[in-house]
Amino acid sequence: MVANPLQEPIFRRAIHALDLPQGSRGLDVGCGIGLQVMLLEEAVGPAGHVTGVDLSPEFLDCARSIAEKAGMFEQVSFQEGGNEHR
């Protein structure tokens, strides 16, 4: 599920090191197409929730599609976020 399979073990170790409690909530700012959001969701479990935020509506559409295909659409959400205070 990760775009670069060589990096997946690194992401998994980093997320494991966070020692996230089951059922907790997470935030991935700059989530792109949401692949690390999926790894975070696995860590917080089915009772948890992870929100991904990105500037690109196209990336977010792709992230939503990936989450739906992975059966994770209930545990993750995606929002467009920008710098409205320039």
Side-chain angles (χ1 to χ4, degrees), residues 3-83:
N4 184 342
L6 296 176
Q7 290 181 335
E8 182 177 356
I10 296 166
F11 292 134
R12 287 190 181 278
R13 279 195 304 273
I15 291 168
H16 179 75
L18 294 172
D19 197 25
L20 300 170
Q22 290 290 300
S24 63
R25 302 180 68 78
L27 177 66
D28 180 1
V29 177
C31 70
I33 61 170
L35 298 174
Q36 284 73 39
V37 169
M38 305 304 159
L39 295 175
L40 285 166
E41 189 282 326
E42 289 176 6
V44 299
H49 189 273
V50 179
T51 301
V53 178
D54 202 274
L55 296 173
S56 169
E58 293 83 10
F59 283 173
L60 295 170
D61 287 343
C62 185
R64 288 181 188 102
S65 176
I66 291 169
E68 189 170 355
K69 288 177 185 170
M72 294 182 176
F73 204 71
E74 295 289 321
Q75 295 86 13
V76 299
S77 59
F78 297 95
Q79 288 183 224
E80 185 176 349
N83 191 356

